Amino acid sequence: MEHELWLTALLNKVLGSVVTSLLGKIGFPPADSAHPIPNYIAMELVVILLLLAGALLLRSRLSVENPGRFQQTMELVVQFTQNMADEIIGHGGRQYVTLLGTLGLFVALCNIPLFTTPTAHIQVTLGLAVVAFLYYNFQGFREHGLVGYLKHLCGPMLGLALIMFPIEIISNVGRMLSLSVRLYANMVVGNLLEEVFGGLVPIVVPVIFAALHIFVSILQAYIFMLLPAVYLGMAVSEEH
């Protein structure tokens, strides 16, 4: 059992009984009723609060004539996401920038190990993958309608529908699993390498592996924006 962080302990002390009661009512009683909130949930809450605080701070300091460094940085992030949406999704792609940008920022902050890395837990990465999966399929239904999207999944020729439709369903589920496992595995391996080599050679090496871990964290956040953008482009496109 992993060591409980002070923040997790505080949350369990304040909200533990409420969370235990709610989980029990929906049929998922926690293994430890006194400590139902794990470390990764506590750190996800920290990331959410950081994003909200950053958004409020940015909103309060928006300036056209004299933008600060934070505003300039976030404008670069927005522009980068818009360019990605334009290139991958095409016409109308900018309406999905909010989701893609939020996913990228959330994953990037979750990847960076503060006290613990939330994305080194499959529950977190699978939850993010489910959000992306539901979102791009919803947009596909919204764009083409129920019948149109189902036809979209049947391929370009009606004669191949019996073959293509099951393949497309399996492919869609596979994307969700691929998204979650890829991010989870990279974060677990990154943490493990950093701990092992940092313990063996405690001078200089930890800094190198920490820098490598941050690079991988940013790269994985980019991939978690890129792949949902590709899936969105496929779901809303006129031709399959």
Side-chain angles (χ1 to χ4, degrees):
M1 183 178 177
E2 64 178 346
H3 174 70
E4 187 178 53
L5 300 172
W6 65 267
L7 177 60
T8 310
L10 178 62
L11 288 174
N12 278 317
K13 185 176 181 180
V14 176
L15 301 173
S17 59
V18 176
V19 173
T20 298
S21 176
L22 289 174
L23 290 175
K25 288 180 179 179
I26 62 175
F28 295 97
D32 186 350
S33 59
H35 303 86
I37 303 174
N39 287 332
Y40 67 84
I41 293 293
M43 293 311 301
E44 279 190 289
L45 291 175
V46 170
V47 170
I48 291 171
L49 290 175
L50 285 174
L51 289 173
L52 289 174
L56 292 173
L57 178 64
L58 180 63
R59 182 183 177 88
S60 67
R61 297 185 177 183
L62 283 177
S63 173
V64 176
E65 298 177 354
N66 188 28
R69 291 184 180 180
F70 183 46
Q71 179 179 335
Q72 292 176 358
T73 301
M74 294 312 299
E75 285 176 352
L76 288 175
V77 172
V78 171
Q79 185 177 7
F80 174 81
T81 310
Q82 288 176 337
N83 291 337
M84 174 189 288
D86 289 341
E87 292 176 8
I88 296 175
I89 303 173
H91 177 70
R94 293 200 174 189
Q95 63 183 304
Y96 311 116
V97 165
T98 301
L99 174 89
L100 297 175
T102 302
L103 275 177
L105 290 173
F106 184 81
V107 172
L109 290 177
C110 281
N111 285 353
I112 297 173
L114 185 57
F115 301 116
T116 186
T117 309
T119 42
H121 295 79
I122 190 63
Q123 298 94 327
V124 176
T125 60
L126 182 58
L128 291 168
V130 168
V131 169
F133 173 82
L134 293 176
Y135 184 82
Y136 78 74
N137 279 293
F138 169 76
Q139 294 299 332
F141 281 114
R142 184 181 178 185
E143 180 71 21
H144 302 289
L146 177 60
V147 176
Y149 190 57
L150 292 177
K151 288 176 63 178
H152 192 71
L153 296 175
C154 290
M157 297 177 60
L158 188 60
L160 297 176
L162 290 177
I163 299 174
M164 293 300 299
F165 187 74
I167 292 175
E168 286 292 337
I169 296 298
I170 294 171
S171 174
N172 270 270
V173 175
R175 293 170 190 169
M176 180 171 56
L177 296 176
S178 174
L179 268 178
S180 58
V181 173
R182 178 188 289 107
L183 178 56
Y184 162 71
N186 275 280
M187 291 302 100
V188 168
V189 171
N191 286 343
L192 185 61
L193 289 175
E194 193 173 350
E195 290 176 5
V196 170
F197 285 96
L200 291 174
V201 187
I203 301 175
V204 179
V205 171
V207 177
I208 297 174
F209 273 91
L212 179 62
H213 187 88
I214 292 173
F215 171 75
V216 172
S217 298
I218 296 173
L219 177 62
Q220 289 302 313
Y222 167 70
I223 292 173
F224 215 95
M225 294 172 64
L226 176 67
L227 292 179
V230 172
Y231 303 153
L232 273 166
M234 296 171 67
V236 302
S237 65
E238 292 300 324
E239 295 184 2
H240 193 60

